[in-house]
Amino acid sequence: MSDRQWCLVLGIALAVCLSILAVWAVWFFRQWCKLDRILEQFQKGPDGKTDAQRRPDGKTDAQRRTDEKADIQRGTDGKNDVQREMTGKIDTLDVQETRESRLVSEMRQVLGRAVWQEEQAKKEKNQVMELISDLSHQLKTPLANIVMDMELLESNELSKERQAEFLGHAKAQATRMQWLMQDLLKASRLENGIIHFEAEDIEVKPTIAKAVGAVYAQAAKKQIELIVEEFEDFKLYHNPKWTAEALVNVLENAVKYSPVGSRIEIGIERMELYSCISVKDHGMGIPEQEYNKIFQRFYRGRQAGAEEGTGLGLYLAQLILQSEQGYITVASKSGEGSCFRFFLQNCHNFSQGLS
């Protein structure tokens, strides 16, 4: 083939290629438009509007990106001078608010401590006033009796026997005042935590023996038999000195309010967490409505009569048991005697063995 024929063939081939390319471009453009319409349908919500139409400025995402580029060109942080100034003021206000909040918090803590200290001062003042009131009330009668006895003793008309009688009465009143002061100070110190005593796992039999020995002479004067249940010694969580004092307070009441020739029974029972020491008498008993009152400070039952007492024995016993993480209860009927129960914690090893 000549050169002219080759050029003609190449021209025809090039024209065919261009025609195919044009047809493909038209087809691609139509498909693109169709796809755009489909996407637009998906972007429309229930109101038939697109996101761009819903925006107040009516701008598309591309237009927004263009605007953001322009903002960046105005400054590296995308803000103009006014915006930067406002941001700086806001940051300064945030710092000031943080400092003010810290100051407010510290002032609240200081005020809270001041209020607490004021309440503690009022509480201590009330306790002191209550103590003074109790002292004046309880000391009034024995002091008046002592003054009267002294006035009678100043008279020269009394015989030696009568003088001895009044002296004995005055001595008894002074002894009562001494007991009252000791018991009241002891109770007040226990209440306010001034007295601290340590409890430990220690044998309980010597504690009971010490308490029984302290009231043995008083019981013997009234021919009252003290019966202690035989048991194998074991350890309880308690303070021997203070627990014995609590037992003595109850035993003294039992001797005081029991008839001549009766008996007082002391027993013990072991349980899972606590062990119970019981003191049972056959005296006048306590009405049920007074069960809670007898553990109050200075309370004396109606049936106590003219028997000497300060009204602090059971109150002290309860405070002592509470300090040892124990407690005391009473069961009684009028005319049938009373039974006081001391509950003390078992030692740690015994509780573990039962569990």
Side-chain angles (χ1 to χ4, degrees), residues 239-349:
N239 182 287
K241 175 186 174 182
W242 287 95
T243 304
E245 181 168 343
L247 283 168
V248 168
N249 290 343
V250 174
L251 286 169
E252 284 181 343
N253 285 344
V255 173
K256 190 185 301 181
Y257 300 113
S258 293
V260 176
S262 61
R263 65 182 186 274
I264 297 173
E265 302 162 6
I266 299 99
I268 192 161
E269 179 184 0
R270 302 185 76 176
M271 294 176 288
E272 183 175 357
L273 297 177
Y274 291 84
S275 288
C276 173
I277 303 173
S278 60
V279 177
K280 184 178 180 181
D281 62 56
H282 299 273
M284 62 182 67
I286 303 169
E288 187 175 354
Q289 59 268 24
E290 294 185 0
Y291 281 4
N292 293 326
K293 296 180 180 179
I294 60 174
F295 294 104
Q296 296 175 3
R297 184 166 54 183
F298 296 123
Y299 182 83
R300 302 194 68 205
R302 295 179 180 178
Q303 298 182 4
E307 293 288 346
E308 292 290 334
T310 61
L312 286 171
L314 294 179
Y315 178 70
L316 270 173
Q318 179 177 246
L319 287 178
I320 292 170
L321 268 291
Q322 289 176 350
S323 299
E324 296 174 331
Q325 301 176 19
Y327 59 98
I328 182 173
T329 63
V330 62
S332 178
K333 287 185 179 180
S334 296
E336 298 183 11
S338 305
C339 182
F340 287 87
R341 293 183 174 89
F342 295 75
F343 290 87
L344 295 171
Q345 287 189 2
N346 294 321
C347 69
H348 186 67
N349 294 333

Side-chain angles (χ1 to χ4, degrees), residues 49-332:
K49 295 181 179 180
T50 62
D51 293 337
Q53 292 172 340
R54 290 192 200 96
R55 296 190 182 102
D57 54 2
K59 294 181 180 180
T60 62
D61 291 337
Q63 292 172 333
R64 286 181 174 276
R65 284 194 293 270
T66 302
D67 293 340
E68 288 175 0
K69 289 180 181 179
D71 292 337
I72 293 173
Q73 291 175 357
R74 288 197 300 269
T76 55
D77 56 357
K79 299 178 181 179
N80 55 32
D81 294 339
V82 176
Q83 291 173 330
R84 291 193 196 93
E85 184 179 354
M86 292 299 296
T87 302
K89 291 182 179 179
I90 291 173
D91 293 339
T92 303
L93 288 174
D94 290 340
V95 173
Q96 292 176 352
E97 288 178 357
T98 303
R99 292 176 180 173
E100 291 175 358
S101 300
R102 190 181 297 112
L103 288 173
V104 169
S105 177
E106 292 176 356
M107 289 179 64
R108 285 178 178 174
Q109 292 178 2
V110 171
L111 289 173
R113 286 194 294 268
V115 170
W116 180 81
Q117 291 174 355
E118 183 181 0
E119 290 177 352
Q120 288 296 112
K122 289 181 179 179
K123 183 179 179 181
E124 293 174 0
K125 180 181 178 182
N126 291 335
Q127 289 174 347
V128 171
M129 294 298 295
E130 185 178 356
L131 179 61
I132 293 174
S133 175
D134 291 337
L135 278 173
S136 62
H137 177 72
Q138 294 297 323
L139 294 176
K140 185 191 305 182
T141 300
L143 278 174
N145 291 335
I146 291 174
V147 170
M148 184 177 64
D149 291 336
M150 293 299 102
E151 289 177 352
L152 291 172
L153 286 171
E154 290 176 354
S155 174
N156 296 325
E157 300 177 357
L158 293 176
S159 63
K160 292 184 177 180
E161 290 78 9
R162 294 289 290 174
Q163 288 179 356
E165 180 182 349
F166 285 121
L167 280 173
H169 186 259
K171 183 179 179 180
Q173 294 298 315
T175 303
R176 180 188 175 189
M177 288 174 58
Q178 184 180 8
W179 288 344
L180 176 64
M181 291 293 295
Q182 290 176 350
D183 289 346
L184 188 57
L185 289 174
K186 213 176 289 182
S188 178
R189 289 173 178 175
L190 282 172
E191 281 179 334
N192 298 307
I194 299 174
I195 294 180
H196 295 281
F197 58 86
E198 297 293 332
E200 57 182 333
D201 294 335
I202 193 168
E203 287 77 9
V204 70
K205 183 175 280 190
T207 304
I208 297 176
K210 182 179 179 181
V212 172
V215 299
Y216 183 80
Q218 300 174 31
K221 288 181 180 179
K222 295 182 68 174
Q223 300 177 359
I224 295 175
E225 185 180 7
L226 298 175
I227 302 174
V228 181
E229 176 186 344
E230 185 61 34
F231 65 94
E232 184 178 352
D233 199 6
F234 60 95
K235 293 182 178 181
L236 288 178
Y237 182 77
H238 72 292
N239 182 287
K241 175 186 174 182
W242 287 95
T243 304
E245 181 168 343
L247 283 168
V248 168
N249 290 343
V250 174
L251 286 169
E252 284 181 343
N253 285 344
V255 173
K256 190 185 301 181
Y257 300 113
S258 293
V260 176
S262 61
R263 65 182 186 274
I264 297 173
E265 302 162 6
I266 299 99
I268 192 161
E269 179 184 0
R270 302 185 76 176
M271 294 176 288
E272 183 175 357
L273 297 177
Y274 291 84
S275 288
C276 173
I277 303 173
S278 60
V279 177
K280 184 178 180 181
D281 62 56
H282 299 273
M284 62 182 67
I286 303 169
E288 187 175 354
Q289 59 268 24
E290 294 185 0
Y291 281 4
N292 293 326
K293 296 180 180 179
I294 60 174
F295 294 104
Q296 296 175 3
R297 184 166 54 183
F298 296 123
Y299 182 83
R300 302 194 68 205
R302 295 179 180 178
Q303 298 182 4
E307 293 288 346
E308 292 290 334
T310 61
L312 286 171
L314 294 179
Y315 178 70
L316 270 173
Q318 179 177 246
L319 287 178
I320 292 170
L321 268 291
Q322 289 176 350
S323 299
E324 296 174 331
Q325 301 176 19
Y327 59 98
I328 182 173
T329 63
V330 62
S332 178

